Amino acid sequence: MENRLPDSVFPEKMRILSGSALKIIAIITMLIDHTAFVLLSKYGPALRPLFYFNGRDYSFYRICRDVGRVAFPIYCFLLIEGFLHTGNRFKYGRNLLLFALISEIPWNFMFSDTWTYQKQNVFFTLFLGYLACWAIEYFWENQLLTLLCVLGLLGASFLVNADYGWRGFIFIVIMYVLRLDKPAQAIVGSCWLYYEWKACFAFISINMYNGKRGFIQGKWAKYFFYVFYPLHITVLVILRRYLFP
């Protein structure tokens, strides 16, 4: 049942995006977002209003940040796809935790330009969400134990205080529980993301997913997807120091 073509709000002929294509969309939109936060926020012309909408001014910086909201839901969707299809779930979870730790120093410098920052990077949120998916599947027959595990991980998300926080953790749970009903996943997920409504546009590309891996294959290509996160943040921080000393 897990291997059938996922349901979608779109007809089958419109499901043209592979997992690799979704990864590229997630990487590009995240890069746009972080480039705006790290560099464009320091560049005066990028902060000038271009137009006004609904009582709010929109600058090039603001537009780039809004585009970046699309990345997180796609990453969550890909996380669940990875969970469902990986041949080694322990290794998959270990990699998430490992890169959460590796990404922490670049993340801290991106926000505070020091070694420490009060919030942790998004890999921690993805890791806790991954554990929740594992717990839900493993303890599915014991609803009380399932609930206790999810609540425990929810509490951990409060303590860790990672990017997207407990809301991001619950979003991952929603995405997993509704994984076989893409229309319901899009509706409920969008309602949950009301506080970041621009992120809801991610469900357009998610529902265009065709269930295929795509062109990103092999060990090195897979790990590039992990490495890109701390690497691009490090490059942006170095550029900020050089361009805006």
Side-chain angles (χ1 to χ4, degrees):
M1 188 175 184
E2 298 286 4
N3 293 324
R4 68 183 178 85
L5 188 66
D7 292 334
S8 173
V9 299
F10 297 130
E12 187 173 341
K13 65 180 180 180
M14 294 183 64
R15 303 177 203 174
I16 59 175
L17 298 180
S18 65
S20 299
L22 289 178
K23 288 181 180 180
I24 297 300
I25 293 172
I27 283 177
I28 290 175
T29 52
M30 178 180 65
L31 178 60
I32 290 172
D33 180 33
H34 289 170
T35 299
F37 179 81
V38 178
L39 299 179
L40 296 184
S41 62
K42 304 290 184 179
Y43 183 59
L47 301 176
R48 296 171 185 164
L50 297 175
F51 60 90
Y52 294 87
F53 177 74
N54 198 25
R56 184 177 182 181
D57 61 279
Y58 281 83
S59 61
F60 184 64
Y61 162 81
R62 184 70 265 163
I63 293 171
C64 289
R65 296 303 310 276
D66 287 348
V67 168
R69 300 306 94 203
V70 169
F72 180 70
I74 297 177
Y75 272 107
C76 294
F77 176 78
L78 292 172
L79 173 78
I80 294 166
E81 283 295 297
F83 169 78
L84 294 173
H85 298 104
T86 183
N88 189 329
R89 288 184 174 173
F90 175 80
K91 186 176 180 180
Y92 194 108
R94 182 203 66 187
N95 288 341
L96 289 171
L97 180 58
L98 175 63
F99 277 91
L101 297 173
I102 291 174
S103 302
E104 194 61 10
I105 291 178
W107 167 267
N108 292 341
F109 272 88
M110 181 171 72
F111 280 91
S112 65
D113 211 25
T114 63
W115 295 94
T116 60
Y117 182 62
Q118 66 266 30
K119 292 185 66 175
Q120 278 63 59
N121 68 80
V122 75
F123 261 115
F124 284 103
T125 301
L126 296 175
F127 174 67
L128 291 174
Y130 180 83
L131 294 181
C133 296
W134 205 344
I136 292 171
E137 182 191 83
Y138 191 81
F139 298 114
W140 184 252
E141 298 299 326
N142 189 329
Q143 294 183 0
L144 177 59
L145 193 53
T146 300
L147 178 61
L148 290 175
C149 287
V150 172
L151 289 177
L153 291 167
L154 176 61
S157 71
F158 277 98
L159 294 175
V160 172
N161 192 28
D163 196 21
Y164 286 92
W166 65 271
R167 291 185 178 89
F169 171 82
I170 293 180
F171 178 75
I172 295 173
V173 173
I174 290 172
M175 294 288 284
Y176 176 73
V177 172
L178 298 177
R179 65 193 181 279
L180 297 179
D181 189 346
K182 290 297 184 296
Q185 186 187 66
I187 294 170
V188 177
S190 295
C191 290
W192 184 254
L193 292 172
Y194 72 93
Y195 63 97
E196 286 282 10
W197 63 268
K198 294 94 173 177
C200 300
F201 288 102
F203 284 106
I204 296 175
S205 55
I206 289 172
N207 277 272
M208 295 175 71
Y209 175 58
N210 58 18
K212 299 178 181 179
R213 177 177 294 183
F215 53 88
I216 298 179
Q217 299 188 31
K219 181 178 179 180
W220 295 109
K222 179 182 70 175
Y223 278 101
F224 173 78
F225 187 58
Y226 289 98
V227 171
F228 182 82
Y229 185 78
L231 179 62
H232 88 278
I233 293 176
T234 301
V235 171
L236 288 173
V237 169
I238 292 173
L239 286 174
R240 181 175 64 189
R241 290 204 164 191
Y242 176 76
L243 295 173
F244 306 101

